[in-house]
C-alpha cells in the first residue's frame, strides 16, 4: 500500500478529485451543449423502487421487489464477495462491509450524460482505503446520446482505470429504462450498435473491455439476445435466485453475479482473489 505504485495512484486520485468539480455535473449533449433532464420523469414502477428523479436509477432497480432473493449457492475458496452502491446508500461505512467479508465494490459514477453521483468520492475512495478492489459503473440511457458520448462522460467523471491492482475496469449498466420505454425506443440492432459504440470508446481510452451488467430478460428483449460481446466483455449478470441460471447472449460463463439486494446489492465474483486481482490488472 505504501509502494511507489500506491504513490502514483494517490497522485492520479488527487488530480481526479480536483477535476470532478461539483457533485452534480452540467448536462452535456452529443454536440456539447447543455441538455435538459425534464424529460426524465420516472415511471410509476420506477417510483415504487425509489427512483424519484433523473439520476436516481441504480443497478437492478427492478430486481429488488419483482424477484424474491433466495440463498445463493456457496463455493468456498472459489468466489469473492462484494457489493455495489449508488447515491441511495449515501456515506457508506466501508469498514463494516470489509469486516463482513466484502472484498470488492462497484460504485455508480454517472448516468446518461447529465448526472454524477454526489457520494462518489466517499464511496469510491472509501472502499479503496479499507482495502477493497473497487470500480465504477455507468447507468446507460441510450435514448439520450450516443454510446461514445456517454462513455466519454463516464470517463471524465470517475469511470477511468489504472493498473494498480486495486481498480476494476469501469462497468456498463444496461437494463430496464426507469424513465420510459423498456428498450429506450431503440431496435435490437440499434441497441447492439449503441453498446458497441460505448464499449469501443471505453477500450480505446483505457485498453480495457468494459464489463456489461444486464439480465436475461432485458438482454433478450432489447438486443435480440445478441452474442456480439460474449467473447470480449465480461458478463455481470443479475439473477436473484439460488444460481445465475441461463446466461444471456451466449456468454459461456459469468464473471460477476448480483444475487440479492438485501440488505444491500450483493455480488459474487466467479473466481478467487487472485483472479479478481488479475481482472483489476488487465
Amino acid at each position: 500500500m505504501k509502494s511507489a505504485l500506491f504513490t502514483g495512484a494517490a497522485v492520479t486520485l488527487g488530480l481526479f478529485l480536483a477535476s470532478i468539480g461539483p457533485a452534480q455535473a452540467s448536462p452535456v449533449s452529443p454536440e456539447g451543449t447543455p441538455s435538459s433532464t425534464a424529460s426524465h420523469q420516472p415511471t410509476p414502477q420506477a417510483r415504487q423502487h425509489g427512483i424519484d428523479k433523473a439520476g436516481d436509477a441504480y443497478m437492478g432497480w427492478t430486481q429488488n421487489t419483482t424477484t424474491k432473493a433466495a440463498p445463493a449457492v456457496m463455493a468456498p475458496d472459489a468466489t469473492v464477495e462484494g457489493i455495489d452502491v449508488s447515491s441511495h446508500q449515501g456515506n457508506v461505512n466501508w469498514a463494516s462491509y470489509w469486516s463482513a467479508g466484502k472484498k470488492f465494490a462497484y460504485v455508480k459514477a454517472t448516468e446518461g450524460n447529465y448526472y454524477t453521483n454526489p457520494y462518489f468520492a466517499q464511496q469510491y475512495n472509501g472502499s479503496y482505503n479499507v482495502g477493497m478492489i473497487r470500480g465504477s459503473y455507468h447507468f446507460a440511457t441510450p435514448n439520450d446520446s450516443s454510446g461514445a458520448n456517454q462513455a466519454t462522460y463516464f470517463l471524465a467523471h470517475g469511470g477511468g482505470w489504472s493498473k494498480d491492482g486495486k481498480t476494476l475496469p469501469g462497468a456498463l449498466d444496461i437494463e430496464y429504462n426507469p424513465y420510459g420505454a423498456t428498450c429506450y425506443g431503440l431496435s435490437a440492432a440499434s441497441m447492439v450498435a449503441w453498446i458497441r459504440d460505448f464499449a469501443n470508446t471505453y477500450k480505446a481510452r483505457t485498453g480495457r473491455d468494459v464489463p456489461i451488467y444486464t439480465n436475461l430478460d432485458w438482454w433478450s428483449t432489447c438486443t435480440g439476445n445478441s452474442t456480439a460481446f460474449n467473447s470480449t466483455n465480461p458478463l455481470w449478470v443479475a439473477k436473484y435466485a439460488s444460481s445465475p441460471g441461463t446466461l444471456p447472449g451466449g456468454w459461456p460463463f459469468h464473471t460477476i453475479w448480483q444475487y440479492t439486494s438485501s440488505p444491500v446489492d450483493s455480488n459474487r465474483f466467479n473466481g478467487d482473489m487472485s483472479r479478481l486481482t488479475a481482472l483489476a490488472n488487465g
Side-chain angles (χ1 to χ4, degrees):
M1 294 288 289
K2 296 183 179 179
S3 65
L5 189 61
F6 174 79
T7 301
V11 171
T12 301
L13 181 60
L15 292 172
F16 161 69
L17 289 174
S19 70
I20 60 173
Q24 186 76 19
S26 299
V28 180
S29 75
E31 295 75 32
T33 55
S35 60
S36 172
T37 59
S39 63
H40 296 78
Q41 295 301 314
T43 64
Q45 182 189 23
R47 291 186 185 278
Q48 292 175 358
H49 293 261
I51 299 174
D52 297 320
K53 61 185 181 303
D56 279 354
Y58 55 93
M59 277 187 167
W61 68 270
T62 59
Q63 298 280 335
N64 66 350
T65 57
T66 59
T67 309
K68 183 178 179 181
V73 173
M74 299 297 293
D77 303 321
T79 60
V80 183
E81 292 290 326
I83 63 173
D84 63 82
V85 297
S86 65
S87 63
H88 291 273
Q89 281 69 50
N91 290 321
V92 175
N93 184 344
W94 289 107
S96 68
Y97 284 112
W98 177 263
S99 297
K102 307 298 185 181
K103 302 305 178 186
F104 74 95
Y106 262 98
V107 176
K108 180 180 178 181
T110 51
E111 177 179 314
N113 64 353
Y114 51 81
Y115 170 87
T116 61
N117 175 8
Y119 294 94
F120 180 78
Q122 192 276 343
Q123 294 174 348
Y124 191 70
N125 301 337
S127 54
Y128 179 97
N129 289 338
V130 298
M132 290 186 187
I133 297 177
R134 50 79 156 113
S136 57
Y137 78 85
H138 173 79
F139 191 97
T141 56
N143 57 319
D144 284 317
S145 62
S146 68
N149 172 260
Q150 292 193 27
T152 300
Y153 186 82
F154 178 44
L155 284 158
H157 298 89
W161 172 80
S162 58
K163 190 174 182 177
D164 58 6
K166 300 287 287 184
T167 304
L168 293 162
L172 172 64
D173 177 2
I174 186 86
E175 56 172 305
Y176 304 101
N177 180 9
Y179 310 113
T182 296
C183 300
Y184 301 86
L186 273 63
S187 67
S190 295
M191 185 65 74
V192 171
W194 191 98
I195 296 168
R196 183 178 291 112
D197 194 27
F198 186 103
N200 287 348
T201 301
Y202 192 86
K203 186 166 186 177
R205 291 278 300 275
T206 66
R208 299 304 307 274
D209 289 306
V210 62
I212 296 174
Y213 170 97
T214 194
N215 63 75
L216 178 62
D217 176 69
W218 187 91
W219 192 262
S220 298
T221 300
C222 296
T223 74
N225 209 24
S226 173
T227 59
F229 307 96
N230 64 25
S231 64
T232 51
N233 298 85
L235 172 65
W236 185 349
V237 65
K239 177 72 171 180
Y240 293 6
S242 59
S243 73
T246 301
L247 300 179
W251 266 279
F253 58 88
H254 69 281
T255 296
I256 302 174
W257 168 30
Q258 185 191 66
Y259 61 86
T260 186
S261 64
S262 180
V264 68
D265 286 356
S266 296
N267 301 277
R268 183 164 293 155
F269 177 75
N270 189 14
D272 62 16
M273 184 60 75
S274 69
R275 298 311 307 157
L276 181 62
T277 302
L279 177 63
N281 279 324

PDB file of all heavy atoms in Angstrom, residues 83-98:
ATOM      1  N   ILE A  83     -20.026  -5.823  -3.081  1.00  0.00           N
ATOM      2  CA  ILE A  83     -21.285  -5.081  -3.125  1.00  0.00           C
ATOM      3  C   ILE A  83     -21.202  -4.014  -4.201  1.00  0.00           C
ATOM      4  O   ILE A  83     -20.118  -3.688  -4.706  1.00  0.00           O
ATOM      5  CB  ILE A  83     -21.619  -4.416  -1.770  1.00  0.00           C
ATOM      6  CG1 ILE A  83     -20.564  -3.366  -1.391  1.00  0.00           C
ATOM      7  CG2 ILE A  83     -21.752  -5.454  -0.672  1.00  0.00           C
ATOM      8  CD1 ILE A  83     -20.941  -2.555  -0.150  1.00  0.00           C
ATOM      9  N   ASP A  84     -22.380  -3.476  -4.577  1.00  0.00           N
ATOM     10  CA  ASP A  84     -22.403  -2.273  -5.412  1.00  0.00           C
ATOM     11  C   ASP A  84     -23.304  -1.251  -4.741  1.00  0.00           C
ATOM     12  O   ASP A  84     -24.272  -1.593  -4.056  1.00  0.00           O
ATOM     13  CB  ASP A  84     -22.858  -2.579  -6.838  1.00  0.00           C
ATOM     14  CG  ASP A  84     -24.280  -3.101  -6.936  1.00  0.00           C
ATOM     15  OD1 ASP A  84     -25.224  -2.291  -6.933  1.00  0.00           O
ATOM     16  OD2 ASP A  84     -24.457  -4.333  -7.032  1.00  0.00           O
ATOM     17  N   VAL A  85     -22.956   0.018  -4.908  1.00  0.00           N
ATOM     18  CA  VAL A  85     -23.659   1.105  -4.236  1.00  0.00           C
ATOM     19  C   VAL A  85     -23.892   2.272  -5.191  1.00  0.00           C
ATOM     20  O   VAL A  85     -23.253   2.373  -6.241  1.00  0.00           O
ATOM     21  CB  VAL A  85     -22.887   1.609  -2.991  1.00  0.00           C
ATOM     22  CG1 VAL A  85     -22.756   0.514  -1.948  1.00  0.00           C
ATOM     23  CG2 VAL A  85     -21.520   2.153  -3.375  1.00  0.00           C
ATOM     24  N   SER A  86     -24.828   3.133  -4.797  1.00  0.00           N
ATOM     25  CA  SER A  86     -25.128   4.346  -5.546  1.00  0.00           C
ATOM     26  C   SER A  86     -25.439   5.446  -4.539  1.00  0.00           C
ATOM     27  O   SER A  86     -25.199   5.280  -3.335  1.00  0.00           O
ATOM     28  CB  SER A  86     -26.330   4.103  -6.472  1.00  0.00           C
ATOM     29  OG  SER A  86     -27.505   3.859  -5.705  1.00  0.00           O
ATOM     30  N   SER A  87     -26.012   6.530  -4.994  1.00  0.00           N
ATOM     31  CA  SER A  87     -26.328   7.626  -4.070  1.00  0.00           C
ATOM     32  C   SER A  87     -27.353   7.204  -3.028  1.00  0.00           C
ATOM     33  O   SER A  87     -27.448   7.829  -1.956  1.00  0.00           O
ATOM     34  CB  SER A  87     -26.853   8.832  -4.844  1.00  0.00           C
ATOM     35  OG  SER A  87     -28.075   8.519  -5.505  1.00  0.00           O
ATOM     36  N   HIS A  88     -28.116   6.175  -3.296  1.00  0.00           N
ATOM     37  CA  HIS A  88     -29.129   5.705  -2.340  1.00  0.00           C
ATOM     38  C   HIS A  88     -28.497   5.246  -1.022  1.00  0.00           C
ATOM     39  O   HIS A  88     -29.160   5.265   0.015  1.00  0.00           O
ATOM     40  CB  HIS A  88     -29.946   4.571  -2.955  1.00  0.00           C
ATOM     41  CG  HIS A  88     -30.830   5.002  -4.072  1.00  0.00           C
ATOM     42  ND1 HIS A  88     -32.102   5.483  -3.885  1.00  0.00           N
ATOM     43  CD2 HIS A  88     -30.603   5.049  -5.414  1.00  0.00           C
ATOM     44  CE1 HIS A  88     -32.641   5.802  -5.055  1.00  0.00           C
ATOM     45  NE2 HIS A  88     -31.749   5.549  -5.997  1.00  0.00           N
ATOM     46  N   GLN A  89     -27.231   4.823  -1.060  1.00  0.00           N
ATOM     47  CA  GLN A  89     -26.555   4.376   0.171  1.00  0.00           C
ATOM     48  C   GLN A  89     -25.886   5.525   0.930  1.00  0.00           C
ATOM     49  O   GLN A  89     -25.455   5.339   2.063  1.00  0.00           O
ATOM     50  CB  GLN A  89     -25.515   3.296  -0.147  1.00  0.00           C
ATOM     51  CG  GLN A  89     -26.101   1.905  -0.370  1.00  0.00           C
ATOM     52  CD  GLN A  89     -26.903   1.808  -1.650  1.00  0.00           C
ATOM     53  OE1 GLN A  89     -26.453   2.198  -2.718  1.00  0.00           O
ATOM     54  NE2 GLN A  89     -28.117   1.298  -1.554  1.00  0.00           N
ATOM     55  N   GLY A  90     -25.777   6.692   0.318  1.00  0.00           N
ATOM     56  CA  GLY A  90     -25.146   7.825   0.993  1.00  0.00           C
ATOM     57  C   GLY A  90     -23.713   7.526   1.385  1.00  0.00           C
ATOM     58  O   GLY A  90     -22.981   6.824   0.673  1.00  0.00           O
ATOM     59  N   ASN A  91     -23.280   8.065   2.507  1.00  0.00           N
ATOM     60  CA  ASN A  91     -21.935   7.783   3.007  1.00  0.00           C
ATOM     61  C   ASN A  91     -21.903   6.366   3.577  1.00  0.00           C
ATOM     62  O   ASN A  91     -22.636   6.055   4.522  1.00  0.00           O
ATOM     63  CB  ASN A  91     -21.536   8.795   4.082  1.00  0.00           C
ATOM     64  CG  ASN A  91     -21.313  10.177   3.511  1.00  0.00           C
ATOM     65  OD1 ASN A  91     -20.760  10.335   2.425  1.00  0.00           O
ATOM     66  ND2 ASN A  91     -21.741  11.195   4.233  1.00  0.00           N
ATOM     67  N   VAL A  92     -21.051   5.536   3.014  1.00  0.00           N
ATOM     68  CA  VAL A  92     -21.022   4.113   3.359  1.00  0.00           C
ATOM     69  C   VAL A  92     -19.995   3.841   4.455  1.00  0.00           C
ATOM     70  O   VAL A  92     -18.880   4.376   4.430  1.00  0.00           O
ATOM     71  CB  VAL A  92     -20.689   3.274   2.105  1.00  0.00           C
ATOM     72  CG1 VAL A  92     -20.543   1.800   2.464  1.00  0.00           C
ATOM     73  CG2 VAL A  92     -21.763   3.471   1.036  1.00  0.00           C
ATOM     74  N   ASN A  93     -20.358   2.989   5.396  1.00  0.00           N
ATOM     75  CA  ASN A  93     -19.432   2.525   6.432  1.00  0.00           C
ATOM     76  C   ASN A  93     -18.641   1.358   5.859  1.00  0.00           C
ATOM     77  O   ASN A  93     -18.996   0.186   6.033  1.00  0.00           O
ATOM     78  CB  ASN A  93     -20.192   2.098   7.686  1.00  0.00           C
ATOM     79  CG  ASN A  93     -19.267   1.694   8.830  1.00  0.00           C
ATOM     80  OD1 ASN A  93     -18.074   1.435   8.635  1.00  0.00           O
ATOM     81  ND2 ASN A  93     -19.805   1.614  10.032  1.00  0.00           N
ATOM     82  N   TRP A  94     -17.574   1.678   5.170  1.00  0.00           N
ATOM     83  CA  TRP A  94     -16.833   0.651   4.449  1.00  0.00           C
ATOM     84  C   TRP A  94     -16.149  -0.343   5.375  1.00  0.00           C
ATOM     85  O   TRP A  94     -16.021  -1.525   5.046  1.00  0.00           O
ATOM     86  CB  TRP A  94     -15.824   1.307   3.507  1.00  0.00           C
ATOM     87  CG  TRP A  94     -16.510   1.960   2.348  1.00  0.00           C
ATOM     88  CD1 TRP A  94     -16.671   3.293   2.135  1.00  0.00           C
ATOM     89  CD2 TRP A  94     -17.161   1.292   1.264  1.00  0.00           C
ATOM     90  NE1 TRP A  94     -17.386   3.503   0.981  1.00  0.00           N
ATOM     91  CE2 TRP A  94     -17.699   2.290   0.426  1.00  0.00           C
ATOM     92  CE3 TRP A  94     -17.358  -0.050   0.922  1.00  0.00           C
ATOM     93  CZ2 TRP A  94     -18.407   1.999  -0.737  1.00  0.00           C
ATOM     94  CZ3 TRP A  94     -18.063  -0.359  -0.232  1.00  0.00           C
ATOM     95  CH2 TRP A  94     -18.577   0.662  -1.048  1.00  0.00           C
ATOM     96  N   ALA A  95     -15.720   0.108   6.523  1.00  0.00           N
ATOM     97  CA  ALA A  95     -15.047  -0.798   7.458  1.00  0.00           C
ATOM     98  C   ALA A  95     -15.969  -1.941   7.871  1.00  0.00           C
ATOM     99  O   ALA A  95     -15.527  -3.090   8.029  1.00  0.00           O
ATOM    100  CB  ALA A  95     -14.570  -0.031   8.686  1.00  0.00           C
ATOM    101  N   SER A  96     -17.259  -1.633   8.017  1.00  0.00           N
ATOM    102  CA  SER A  96     -18.194  -2.677   8.438  1.00  0.00           C
ATOM    103  C   SER A  96     -18.377  -3.716   7.343  1.00  0.00           C
ATOM    104  O   SER A  96     -18.474  -4.920   7.629  1.00  0.00           O
ATOM    105  CB  SER A  96     -19.539  -2.064   8.823  1.00  0.00           C
ATOM    106  OG  SER A  96     -20.200  -1.519   7.702  1.00  0.00           O
ATOM    107  N   TYR A  97     -18.415  -3.279   6.091  1.00  0.00           N
ATOM    108  CA  TYR A  97     -18.564  -4.241   4.990  1.00  0.00           C
ATOM    109  C   TYR A  97     -17.294  -5.066   4.807  1.00  0.00           C
ATOM    110  O   TYR A  97     -17.353  -6.263   4.486  1.00  0.00           O
ATOM    111  CB  TYR A  97     -18.936  -3.514   3.696  1.00  0.00           C
ATOM    112  CG  TYR A  97     -20.381  -3.073   3.672  1.00  0.00           C
ATOM    113  CD1 TYR A  97     -20.725  -1.724   3.710  1.00  0.00           C
ATOM    114  CD2 TYR A  97     -21.412  -4.011   3.642  1.00  0.00           C
ATOM    115  CE1 TYR A  97     -22.053  -1.322   3.701  1.00  0.00           C
ATOM    116  CE2 TYR A  97     -22.742  -3.623   3.631  1.00  0.00           C
ATOM    117  CZ  TYR A  97     -23.055  -2.278   3.668  1.00  0.00           C
ATOM    118  OH  TYR A  97     -24.370  -1.891   3.666  1.00  0.00           O
ATOM    119  N   TRP A  98     -16.145  -4.426   5.005  1.00  0.00           N
ATOM    120  CA  TRP A  98     -14.888  -5.173   4.934  1.00  0.00           C
ATOM    121  C   TRP A  98     -14.857  -6.257   6.010  1.00  0.00           C
ATOM    122  O   TRP A  98     -14.503  -7.407   5.735  1.00  0.00           O
ATOM    123  CB  TRP A  98     -13.719  -4.211   5.100  1.00  0.00           C
ATOM    124  CG  TRP A  98     -12.377  -4.886   5.114  1.00  0.00           C
ATOM    125  CD1 TRP A  98     -11.639  -5.238   6.216  1.00  0.00           C
ATOM    126  CD2 TRP A  98     -11.602  -5.302   3.983  1.00  0.00           C
ATOM    127  NE1 TRP A  98     -10.467  -5.838   5.846  1.00  0.00           N
ATOM    128  CE2 TRP A  98     -10.409  -5.894   4.480  1.00  0.00           C
ATOM    129  CE3 TRP A  98     -11.785  -5.229   2.611  1.00  0.00           C
ATOM    130  CZ2 TRP A  98      -9.423  -6.409   3.646  1.00  0.00           C
ATOM    131  CZ3 TRP A  98     -10.801  -5.739   1.772  1.00  0.00           C
ATOM    132  CH2 TRP A  98      -9.642  -6.320   2.290  1.00  0.00           C
TER     133      TRP A  98
END
